[in-house]
Amino acid sequence: MKNFTSAKDVTDLAGLVQLARDIKADPFKFRDAGKEKTMVLLFFNPSLRTRLSTEKAALNLGMQVISMNADQGWTLEFEEGAIMNAGSAEHVKEAAAVVSQYADIIGIRTFPGLKDREKDYSEQVIEAFKKYASAPIISLESATRHPLQSLADVLTIEEFKKKDRPKVVVSWAPHVRALPQAVPNSFVEWMKIANVDLVVTNPEGYELADEFMDGVQLEYDQQKAFAGADFIYAKNWSSYREYGQILSQDETWRITQDKMVNWANNAYFMHCLPVRRNVVVEDAVLDGPNSIVIKQANNRTWAAQAVVKRVLEGL
Amino acid sequence: MKNFTSAKDVTDLAGLVQLARDIKADPFKFRDAGKEKTMVLLFFNPSLRTRLSTEKAALNLGMQVISMNADQGWTLEFEEGAIMNAGSAEHVKEAAAVVSQYADIIGIRTFPGLKDREKDYSEQVIEAFKKYASAPIISLESATRHPLQSLADVLTIEEFKKKDRPKVVVSWAPHVRALPQAVPNSFVEWMKIANVDLVVTNPEGYELADEFMDGVQLEYDQQKAFAGADFIYAKNWSSYREYGQILSQDETWRITQDKMVNWANNAYFMHCLPVRRNVVVEDAVLDGPNSIVIKQANNRTWAAQAVVKRVLEGL
Amino acid sequence: MKNFTSAKDVTDLAGLVQLARDIKADPFKFRDAGKEKTMVLLFFNPSLRTRLSTEKAALNLGMQVISMNADQGWTLEFEEGAIMNAGSAEHVKEAAAVVSQYADIIGIRTFPGLKDREKDYSEQVIEAFKKYASAPIISLESATRHPLQSLADVLTIEEFKKKDRPKVVVSWAPHVRALPQAVPNSFVEWMKIANVDLVVTNPEGYELADEFMDGVQLEYDQQKAFAGADFIYAKNWSSYREYGQILSQDETWRITQDKMVNWANNAYFMHCLPVRRNVVVEDAVLDGPNSIVIKQANNRTWAAQAVVKRVLEGL
């Protein structure tokens, strides 16, 4: 694998999931795979889970890891031909080329601004690094996708599913802040290549971008969507149509124990975390036996380790 | 040892001190004790000495170490049943459970707010992590205690004492800012289980909490307290009674060379550092031959390494 | 080598450059040289290239590395006898002595304030650490010098030169912000001990300090300076004479492809990066075949690794 920035970079999902499972069973199985290799993680936005799980994954593979918060004082220029007499001190051309020389693999975390849809969906930062870096790029969440999260999600569903092709429902849920679409976009993208029945449910105005929803069932009625579901994947996101806006904080969309029991099929509850209790989802769900959010978070390490292993193989 | 957050977690102080001394004599004696184990250090407040010494301790034991400043943008919710529609993005239930999966041991640094005594003394952060984390918790200084510092202090006294049961005096000293009571609380707690004659001296209004002072001699007259002292441990703290207040900056409480020579018994001078010169203590004391503050700081590494070793044994 | 803070610390430049070349050819040749040794990197100012390359260098030598941003909340006192009742919480006496006990080598990054020339040129931070630390100090860029950059520059010229004694021109170039003189000072200092013909060209008022320019040819006419040049080293700096001021943003000093072709001798273009495109230098130069800025940045790792190796030898 050269880069890992979306589901499109994966040619053998089953093999990648199996690798993650093997690593989970024996975390130091490939302890020398990254020997004398260096991973540099650049955080243009803060990260907790992703940083901890990815650093650990790389260390478990024997790599040297250097993490840097690049969120202060390192403003990059992305325009070709720019006259750089304003805020940006360095062009991504140099930045990506230089970091490539210190790193065998570069991880990059960046968020959307949620102001300019076209800019966010062009994945300016990740794409520029892919273009100008000579080292492979792993997305640690980008403006529109969070593939390490999604692979962990696939792994989690694989572990818990009770039927060959489970029904998986992505449900929008209310939140007080305007959040990116990266997690649901990415989850949908990965579910399309996994063996599941996928339904997305959200209020009108919250439709995800066509490039992700193409071929995916959308259901505006949450109750209908939940019917027979094996997994409920809850997440808030801001509007793609009225870009970055909070159109609703409708509490009737909150995930409740009642819905999990009476609407869904005794479904497992998933969320990428952090989650706002009693806003996105009731305590009763999170604290109940069918919540698998902690185990899902655990799988972040094994997903990351499988990805880093594959990228190391491609060096 | 499961957790290490106060003197109460130690059942065999002599053994722990001996372990620290053994490690000091041969820092890489247990270089494989932490092999394939990961320590995550979460700093909710800044740290210099504690971070450097604890990271080094864990590395010396062969661990993988990941340090994170959690002081920005990671506001935790601690209330049961909270409706999380305000500032907190994650409940400690999830945070502690998730980090436990990335870490074999979790170190946590947190400070008191010095506004709400009951809240600070409930040790909200440390106690919540102890409750919800599956990994052991090591305090890197909490709202009311600094046990890694105290163990280093015990070790230092053990190294320098000239009699079996030395007289140790904790003296309040003036300062320009309102500081926590964590260091003196903790020092008193540890001295109570060490073999010393302990006296605490401070101006009226600066009495430490009863839970720490219970059974400890308090002397409001600094000169009387210093009489025959073998070790003077200086520290400023804000008032516990009028919580978090600066009641006095009385310069007559400053530690001077004159007091060390004429009041005390040619005593050693200790301080946890950082120390404000010529406010807390005169240059002449710090730069004199009886100041052991630098050697005391050195012992932070060996104290931390002994503690991490014991916690590793309990995994 | 005890400390590495200027060219004066180097007694055998040819040997040091050869060591860097050997390491570049075989980066893990000395993988055990730093075994059981700890490097602490203290950043009083932000760093990207220096941090990544130096961390990697130390890791490649088998060292334990701890990097700390010391730019927030750790204000040091430098005055002897100071009454520390204001902003500074710790005297460098303690700070340097304490960190020396956690580190076998200390790296320090600090910038000039560009307000007080005498203070900046006294190298307060670096000199105080050299005075009070027991561990060796490596400059990661200081108020007036950037020796790790300069050694990488020497190495780069050594690799690309086509004649035994190439002509090297340092050219001031315009910029929108007031920048330190550290890079050009340091480059000049190192070129004086390398086998090159050195010319510095800058507008009047931008003369570097005499201690650096002593014995160096200064040419105010950029075209004359460029004549026959084999290497053009571009850099902006603020005025030393009218200290820290921007006296000019004269665009006619920008490095253009026309100057590189028609004035210089098909010269290589060098810059320490980050560089503001189309302000300091035209895109055509940076994107042309004679730009060696990326390879120059790559040499930062090998320069640092050679320096750390030599300092390790001196422990």
Side-chain angles (χ1 to χ4, degrees):
Chain A
M1 191 150 41
K2 171 67 166 97
N3 299 303
F4 180 79
T5 64
S6 90
K8 299 185 191 89
D9 294 317
V10 179
T11 49
D12 174 16
L13 179 59
L16 187 61
V17 169
Q18 188 55 50
L19 176 61
R21 297 186 81 158
D22 291 348
I23 287 169
K24 184 173 184 173
D26 182 3
F28 291 91
K29 183 175 183 174
F30 303 108
R31 67 165 64 78
D32 292 326
K35 201 183 160 201
E36 304 186 348
K37 302 292 182 196
T38 302
M39 173 168 257
V40 170
L41 304 181
L42 296 176
F43 293 94
F44 290 94
N45 293 91
S47 166
L48 175 75
R49 259 155 283 270
T50 302
R51 186 179 150 196
L52 293 178
S53 58
T54 310
E55 276 204 37
K56 182 170 175 178
L59 290 168
N60 284 357
L61 292 164
M63 297 188 81
Q64 306 178 155
V65 184
I66 308 175
S67 281
M68 279 205 54
N69 289 329
D71 53 349
Q72 290 164 334
W74 198 42
T75 314
L76 294 180
E77 177 63 53
F78 293 92
E79 296 302 321
E80 281 286 329
I83 298 170
M84 292 171 57
N85 56 7
S88 302
E90 180 151 35
H91 200 284
V92 68
K93 279 189 185 183
E94 275 74 53
V98 167
V99 175
S100 295
Q101 299 183 123
Y102 305 143
D104 296 288
I105 302 174
I106 303 172
I108 293 179
R109 168 78 150 210
T110 185
F111 282 173
L114 293 180
K115 306 281 186 197
D116 180 340
R117 187 170 80 176
E118 194 179 355
K119 186 180 161 195
D120 286 348
Y121 274 70
S122 73
E123 289 284 11
Q124 193 180 52
V125 178
I126 284 279
E127 290 304 316
F129 268 87
K130 280 166 68 175
K131 183 172 176 184
Y132 294 116
S134 52
I137 302 298
I138 292 179
S139 165
L140 308 173
E141 184 170 351
S142 68
T144 69
R145 286 175 178 88
H146 196 351
L148 287 174
Q149 176 68 54
S150 301
L151 176 56
D153 298 339
V154 171
L155 172 58
T156 306
I157 290 170
E158 190 64 28
E159 289 178 330
F160 281 88
K161 71 181 186 185
K162 292 169 183 163
K163 60 177 76 150
D164 199 43
R165 188 173 172 84
K167 179 175 176 181
V168 176
V169 177
V170 181
S171 179
W172 183 91
H175 199 281
V176 293
R177 291 182 55 214
L179 299 185
Q181 296 106 29
V183 167
N185 283 346
S186 195
F187 184 75
V188 165
E189 189 178 56
W190 285 74
M191 285 300 111
K192 287 201 269 190
I193 60 169
N195 185 31
V196 303
D197 280 325
L198 179 65
V199 179
V200 177
T201 182
N202 54 250
E204 284 198 53
Y206 277 102
E207 298 80 6
L208 296 170
D210 287 346
E211 61 176 301
F212 295 99
M213 287 302 288
D214 184 41
V216 175
Q217 187 187 340
L218 171 63
E219 173 57 65
Y220 291 111
D221 183 328
Q222 195 185 37
Q223 182 167 1
K224 282 188 188 165
F226 274 38
D230 300 297
F231 295 88
I232 301 295
Y233 195 103
K235 184 75 185 78
N236 172 268
W237 59 89
S238 60
S239 175
Y240 173 78
R241 192 197 291 171
E242 299 182 40
Y243 192 66
Q245 298 302 302
I246 298 177
L247 306 181
S248 164
Q249 296 191 21
D250 185 353
E251 299 189 2
T252 67
W253 279 81
R254 180 173 306 143
I255 313 299
T256 63
Q257 184 66 358
D258 180 59
K259 293 177 187 179
M260 295 298 290
V261 169
N262 294 318
W263 292 2
N265 178 29
N266 193 28
Y268 288 112
F269 177 78
M270 298 179 74
H271 190 283
C272 62
L273 305 182
V275 65
R276 285 177 176 251
R277 285 174 166 259
N278 303 310
V279 177
V280 168
V281 55
E282 278 186 351
D283 277 347
V285 177
L286 272 174
D287 296 331
N290 276 13
S291 170
I292 55 175
V293 297
I294 304 300
K295 287 166 178 158
Q296 184 185 354
N298 183 24
N299 282 336
R300 293 293 308 277
T301 303
W302 321 121
Q305 203 166 329
V307 167
V308 175
K309 175 66 169 59
R310 280 279 185 267
V311 174
L312 282 169
E313 289 167 7
L315 289 183
Chain B
M1 191 150 43
K2 170 68 166 96
N3 299 304
F4 179 79
T5 65
S6 91
K8 300 185 191 91
D9 294 316
V10 179
T11 49
D12 173 17
L13 178 60
L16 187 60
V17 169
Q18 188 55 49
L19 176 60
R21 296 186 81 156
D22 292 348
I23 287 170
K24 184 173 185 173
D26 183 3
F28 291 92
K29 184 175 182 173
F30 303 108
R31 67 166 63 77
D32 292 327
K35 202 183 160 200
E36 303 185 349
K37 302 293 181 195
T38 302
M39 172 168 257
V40 170
L41 304 180
L42 296 176
F43 294 93
F44 290 95
N45 293 92
S47 166
L48 175 76
R49 259 156 283 271
T50 302
R51 186 179 151 198
L52 293 178
S53 57
T54 310
E55 276 203 37
K56 183 172 173 177
L59 290 168
N60 284 358
L61 291 164
M63 297 188 80
Q64 306 178 155
V65 183
I66 308 176
S67 281
M68 278 206 54
N69 289 329
D71 53 349
Q72 290 166 333
W74 197 43
T75 314
L76 294 180
E77 177 62 54
F78 293 92
E79 297 302 322
E80 281 287 329
I83 298 169
M84 292 171 57
N85 57 6
S88 302
E90 179 149 36
H91 200 285
V92 68
K93 279 189 186 184
E94 275 74 52
V98 167
V99 175
S100 295
Q101 299 181 122
Y102 306 143
D104 296 286
I105 303 174
I106 302 173
I108 292 179
R109 166 80 150 210
T110 183
F111 282 172
L114 294 181
K115 306 280 187 199
D116 179 340
R117 188 170 79 176
E118 194 179 356
K119 186 180 162 196
D120 287 347
Y121 274 70
S122 74
E123 289 284 12
Q124 193 180 53
V125 178
I126 285 279
E127 291 304 317
F129 268 87
K130 279 165 69 175
K131 182 172 177 184
Y132 294 117
S134 53
I137 302 298
I138 292 179
S139 166
L140 309 173
E141 185 172 348
S142 69
T144 69
R145 285 174 179 88
H146 196 351
L148 287 175
Q149 177 68 52
S150 302
L151 177 56
D153 298 340
V154 172
L155 172 57
T156 307
I157 290 170
E158 190 63 29
E159 290 178 328
F160 281 87
K161 73 180 184 184
K162 293 169 184 163
K163 59 178 75 150
D164 199 44
R165 189 172 171 84
K167 177 173 176 182
V168 175
V169 177
V170 180
S171 179
W172 182 91
H175 200 280
V176 293
R177 292 182 54 214
L179 299 185
Q181 297 105 29
V183 167
N185 283 345
S186 196
F187 184 75
V188 165
E189 188 177 58
W190 285 74
M191 285 300 110
K192 287 200 270 189
I193 60 169
N195 185 30
V196 303
D197 281 326
L198 179 65
V199 179
V200 177
T201 183
N202 53 249
E204 285 198 52
Y206 276 103
E207 298 80 6
L208 296 171
D210 286 346
E211 61 176 302
F212 296 99
M213 287 301 290
D214 184 39
V216 175
Q217 187 187 341
L218 171 62
E219 173 56 65
Y220 291 111
D221 183 328
Q222 195 186 35
Q223 183 168 1
K224 283 188 188 164
F226 275 38
D230 299 298
F231 294 88
I232 301 296
Y233 195 104
K235 184 75 185 81
N236 172 269
W237 58 90
S238 61
S239 175
Y240 174 77
R241 193 198 291 171
E242 299 183 42
Y243 192 66
Q245 298 303 301
I246 298 177
L247 306 181
S248 164
Q249 298 191 22
D250 185 354
E251 298 189 2
T252 68
W253 279 81
R254 180 175 305 144
I255 313 299
T256 63
Q257 184 66 357
D258 179 60
K259 293 177 186 179
M260 295 297 290
V261 170
N262 295 316
W263 293 1
N265 178 31
N266 193 27
Y268 288 112
F269 178 77
M270 298 180 73
H271 190 284
C272 62
L273 305 182
V275 65
R276 287 179 176 248
R277 285 174 166 256
N278 303 308
V279 176
V280 169
V281 56
E282 278 186 350
D283 278 347
V285 176
L286 273 174
D287 297 330
N290 276 14
S291 170
I292 54 174
V293 297
I294 304 299
K295 287 164 179 160
Q296 183 185 354
N298 182 25
N299 282 335
R300 294 293 308 274
T301 302
W302 321 121
Q305 203 166 328
V307 167
V308 176
K309 175 66 169 58
R310 280 280 185 268
V311 175
L312 283 168
E313 289 167 8
L315 289 183
Chain C
M1 190 150 44
K2 170 68 166 93
N3 299 304
F4 180 79
T5 65
S6 88
K8 300 185 191 91
D9 294 317
V10 179
T11 49
D12 175 17
L13 179 60
L16 187 61
V17 170
Q18 188 56 50
L19 177 60
R21 296 185 81 157
D22 291 349
I23 288 169
K24 184 172 184 173
D26 183 3
F28 290 91
K29 183 174 182 173
F30 303 108
R31 68 166 62 78
D32 291 327
K35 201 183 162 201
E36 302 185 351
K37 302 292 181 195
T38 303
M39 173 168 257
V40 171
L41 304 180
L42 296 176
F43 293 93
F44 290 93
N45 293 91
S47 166
L48 174 76
R49 258 156 284 268
T50 302
R51 187 179 151 197
L52 293 179
S53 57
T54 310
E55 276 204 36
K56 183 172 174 178
L59 291 168
N60 284 358
L61 291 164
M63 297 188 81
Q64 304 178 156
V65 184
I66 308 176
S67 281
M68 279 205 53
N69 289 330
D71 53 349
Q72 291 166 333
W74 197 42
T75 314
L76 295 181
E77 177 63 53
F78 292 92
E79 297 301 322
E80 281 288 327
I83 298 169
M84 292 171 56
N85 57 7
S88 302
E90 179 150 36
H91 200 284
V92 67
K93 279 188 186 184
E94 276 73 52
V98 167
V99 176
S100 294
Q101 299 181 123
Y102 306 144
D104 296 285
I105 303 175
I106 303 172
I108 292 179
R109 167 78 149 210
T110 183
F111 282 172
L114 293 182
K115 306 280 186 198
D116 180 340
R117 187 169 80 176
E118 195 180 354
K119 186 180 161 196
D120 286 349
Y121 274 71
S122 73
E123 288 284 10
Q124 194 179 51
V125 178
I126 284 280
E127 290 304 316
F129 269 86
K130 280 166 69 175
K131 183 172 177 183
Y132 294 116
S134 53
I137 302 299
I138 292 179
S139 166
L140 308 173
E141 185 171 350
S142 69
T144 69
R145 286 175 179 85
H146 197 351
L148 286 174
Q149 177 68 53
S150 301
L151 176 57
D153 298 340
V154 171
L155 173 58
T156 306
I157 289 170
E158 191 63 29
E159 289 178 329
F160 280 87
K161 72 181 185 185
K162 292 169 183 162
K163 58 177 77 151
D164 199 45
R165 189 172 172 84
K167 178 175 177 182
V168 175
V169 177
V170 180
S171 180
W172 182 91
H175 200 280
V176 294
R177 291 183 55 215
L179 299 185
Q181 296 104 32
V183 168
N185 282 346
S186 195
F187 184 74
V188 164
E189 188 178 58
W190 286 74
M191 285 300 110
K192 287 201 269 190
I193 61 169
N195 185 31
V196 304
D197 281 325
L198 178 65
V199 179
V200 177
T201 184
N202 53 249
E204 284 197 51
Y206 276 104
E207 298 80 6
L208 296 170
D210 286 347
E211 62 175 300
F212 296 100
M213 287 302 288
D214 184 39
V216 175
Q217 187 186 342
L218 170 63
E219 172 57 64
Y220 291 113
D221 183 327
Q222 195 185 38
Q223 183 168 0
K224 282 187 188 166
F226 275 39
D230 299 299
F231 294 88
I232 301 295
Y233 195 104
K235 184 76 184 79
N236 173 269
W237 59 89
S238 61
S239 176
Y240 173 78
R241 193 197 290 171
E242 299 183 40
Y243 192 66
Q245 298 302 302
I246 298 177
L247 306 180
S248 164
Q249 297 191 22
D250 185 353
E251 298 189 1
T252 68
W253 279 80
R254 180 175 304 143
I255 314 299
T256 63
Q257 184 65 358
D258 179 58
K259 292 176 185 179
M260 296 297 289
V261 169
N262 294 317
W263 294 1
N265 177 29
N266 193 28
Y268 288 112
F269 178 79
M270 299 180 72
H271 190 283
C272 63
L273 305 181
V275 65
R276 287 179 176 248
R277 286 175 166 256
N278 303 309
V279 175
V280 167
V281 56
E282 278 187 351
D283 278 347
V285 177
L286 273 174
D287 296 332
N290 276 15
S291 171
I292 54 175
V293 297
I294 304 301
K295 287 165 178 157
Q296 184 185 353
N298 182 25
N299 282 335
R300 294 293 308 276
T301 303
W302 321 121
Q305 203 167 330
V307 166
V308 176
K309 174 66 169 60
R310 281 279 185 268
V311 175
L312 283 168
E313 289 167 7
L315 289 183

